[in-house]
């Protein structure tokens, strides 16, 4: 075979075939070896000659050997091509694909496979030398920067067909100012004026005006720290008889802490008794409080004189306690003591002359709504007066993700209305406070917004449940009845969005009353209901209810 290789390397495949070496016995095997030794091009030429000559001219052994030799040769060529293409970088592979008009996307393995298929069909599998491939044209960074700078400096002068004599100085073109839509938070929501329906001076000698204020303070300790005069000023300016607070976020320990001056001290000098309901299931959560103005009547005047010398307790435990100042003073002269006694006596005389009314003195104070599953959150305080029952409420919020929606509408709302119906069997009722629902369309500044249906307080479930509560005993929303045309009167504004100044709010705080309280022949008649939107200290504002009460 070595002799044949040396001899046949100098011959072309055509010479070998023309001399008919392959017709000798076993010469086909030798010829196949020679074809393999001559290389890939000789193998292709031999295959072309084989097409001209019948395949039967080769022996079977020669045919099998030639077939296997060709396969091995092709495998070697493919392996060689893969190594060559694999040594190229992706940009070079893409350049080759672009020059061939093929797709350039994909991974490197996909690019190589695409090129191999292309070369197999066009060049018989041979891969062109990289040196003869067209080079990719790339711009240098300097050239690119220079070109962009030149483009900026290039100024296109407008064409003008007029002669120089006809040219006039034209004013420079004015750019149109972009008109941007005003930010949504800057739009003002109108608050219509509502008339004052009642004046306490209108009360006759046989009646008096009883004022209740309800306010969600969003944390009582924060309010006292940031606005220490807010509650005393509110009580004094509006001559309140009852102040109801919601979301106090107090614990029992806060009432007993002398540094905070809350339990037994808050509003004590102003003449109010405080009652607190704290959450026991979750610390710093929920909570309500009620402050009731102390009254002097014939029945409790003796109790006051007998308890004058008793030691003052900072924590209030009963309605008849704290008829004197709850704060301790370090030192006091005898003259000061005499002045204080004189002032107290004069104030008591005014009470006896103007408000000596047993109908204004509460009969009982209770906590919760009679259900253990609800009462652990400190959401309700009920005060029974002789002519009506008042319940201060902080209704559970459904949550940002409406995780408590089912609990609120299917459990709390139903149990609450059952509790109020039981209380109504004795006397008319008023349930008030932050009820956490914007019931009607006018109770929201953006009614119709898509997100309202999925926001706590404005869901269909909450509004439907609230309507069902009102329908149970034909309960009446006091503000809606007294001011049916009022618009823009809200009780809550989001501080995070800065919605208070543009008055973009919700009406979440209510007074829900028995129908009897609006009848003229009743001993207690509701006369007016209004908001105090200028009161600062919380994201809610106080709501006031005025009741005309007959003296007893």
């Amino acid at each position: 075979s070595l002799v044949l290789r040396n001899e046949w390397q100098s011959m072309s495949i055509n010479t070998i075939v023309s001399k008919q070496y392959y017709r000798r016995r076993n010469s086909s095997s030798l010829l196949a070896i020679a074809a393999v030794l001559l290389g890939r091009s000789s193998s292709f030429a031999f295959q072309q000659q084989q097409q001209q000559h019948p395949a039967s001219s080769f022996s079977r052994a020669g045919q099998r050997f030639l077939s296997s030799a060709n396969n091995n040769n092709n495998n070697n060529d493919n392996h060689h091509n893969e190594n060559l293409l694999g040594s190229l970088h992706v940009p070079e592979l893409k350049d080759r694909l672009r020059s061939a008009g093929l797709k350039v996307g994909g991974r490197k393995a996909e690019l190589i496979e695409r090129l191999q298929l292309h070369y197999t069909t066009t060049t018989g599998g041979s891969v062109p030398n990289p040196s003869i491939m067209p080079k990719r044209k790339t711009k240098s960074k300097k050239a690119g920067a220079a070109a962009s700078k030149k483009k900026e400096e290039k100024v296109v002068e407008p064409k003008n067909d007029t002669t120089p004599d006809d040219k006039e100085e034209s004013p420079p073109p004015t750019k149109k100012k972009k008109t941007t839509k005003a930010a949504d938070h800057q739009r003002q929501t109108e608050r219509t004026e509502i008339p004052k329906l009642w004046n306490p001076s209108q009360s006759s000698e046989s009646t008096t005006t009883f004022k209740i204020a309800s306010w969600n303070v969003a944390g009582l300790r924060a309010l006292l720290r940031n606005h220490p005069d807010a509650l005393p000023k509110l009580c004094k300016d509006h001559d309140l008889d009852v102040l109801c607070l919601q979301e106090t976020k107090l614990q029992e320990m806060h009432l007993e802490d002398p540094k905070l001056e809350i339990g037994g001290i808050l509003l004590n000098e102003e003449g109010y008794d405080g009652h607190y309901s704290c959450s026991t299931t979750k610390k710093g959560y929920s909570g309500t409080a009620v402050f009731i103005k102390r009254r002097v009547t014939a029945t409790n005047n003796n109790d006051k004189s007998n308890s004058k010398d008793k030691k003052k307790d900072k924590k209030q435990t009963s309605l008849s306690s704290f008829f004197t100042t709850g704060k301790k003073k370090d030192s006091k002269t005898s003259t000061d003591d005499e002045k204080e006694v004189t002032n107290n006596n004069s104030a008591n005389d005014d009470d006896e002359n103007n408000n000596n009314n047993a109908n204004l003195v509460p009969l009982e104070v209770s906590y919760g709504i009679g259900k253990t599953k609800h009462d652990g959150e400190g959401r309700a305080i009920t005060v029974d007066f002789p002519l009506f029952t008042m319940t201060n409420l902080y209704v559970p919020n459904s949550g940002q993700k409406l995780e408590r929606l089912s609990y609120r509408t299917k459990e709390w709302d139903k149990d609450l209305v059952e509790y109020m119906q039981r209380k109504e069997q004795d006397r008319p009722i008023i349930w008030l406070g932050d009820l956490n629902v914007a019931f009607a369309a006018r109770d929201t500044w953006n009614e119709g917004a898509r997100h309202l249906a999925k926001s706590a307080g404005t869901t269909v479930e909450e509004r439907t449940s609230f309507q069902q509560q009102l329908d149970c005993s034909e309960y009446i929303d006091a503000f809606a009845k007294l001011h049916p045309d009022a618009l823009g009167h809200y009780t809550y504004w989001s501080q995070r969005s800065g919605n208070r100044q543009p008055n973009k709010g919700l009406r979440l705080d209510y007074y829900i009353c028995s129908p009897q309280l609006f009848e003229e022949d009743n001993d207690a008649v509701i006369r007016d209901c209004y908001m105090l939107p200028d009161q600062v200290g919380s994201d809610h504002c106080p709501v006031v209810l005025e009741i005309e009460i007959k003296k007893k």
Side-chain angles (χ1 to χ4, degrees), residues 234-300:
L234 177 65
C235 293
K236 181 180 178 181
D237 291 349
H238 297 278
D239 191 22
L240 299 180
D241 295 282
V242 177
L243 174 61
C244 299
L245 304 181
Q246 301 91 39
E247 200 176 1
T248 58
K249 299 181 180 180
L250 294 179
Q251 303 176 42
E252 293 290 342
M253 59 180 289
H254 298 141
L255 302 178
E256 300 171 357
D257 190 344
K259 295 181 180 179
L260 297 177
E261 297 184 346
I262 296 178
I265 299 177
L266 181 60
L267 295 181
N268 186 55
E269 288 187 350
E270 287 75 17
Y272 292 85
D273 294 328
H275 306 271
Y276 304 86
S277 180
C278 304
S279 172
T280 56
T281 58
K282 187 176 180 180
K283 295 181 179 180
Y285 177 70
S286 185
T288 50
V290 175
F291 297 89
I292 306 171
K293 182 181 287 187
R294 290 189 290 269
R295 303 287 178 182
V296 178
T297 62
T299 56
N300 62 16

Side-chain angles (χ1 to χ4, degrees), residues 387-401:
L387 300 181
F388 63 89
T389 292
M390 179 203 77
T391 300
N392 177 29
L393 293 170
Y394 179 41
V395 173
N397 190 293
S398 295
Q400 291 185 350
K401 298 181 180 180

Side-chain angles (χ1 to χ4, degrees), residues 297-315:
T297 62
T299 56
N300 62 16
N301 195 23
N302 293 332
D303 295 337
K304 177 190 171 182
S305 59
N306 294 334
S307 61
K308 216 178 232 183
D309 298 330
K310 289 183 179 180
K311 185 179 179 180
K312 301 174 184 69
D313 185 9
K314 287 188 177 181
K315 182 178 179 181

Side-chain angles (χ1 to χ4, degrees), residues 190-197 479 482-489 503 530:
E190 182 183 3
R191 181 187 290 118
T192 59
E193 292 186 5
I194 58 176
K196 190 74 174 67
L197 301 180
F479 181 81
L482 297 172
H483 302 283
D485 300 324
L487 297 175
H489 290 265
N503 192 33
Y530 50 89

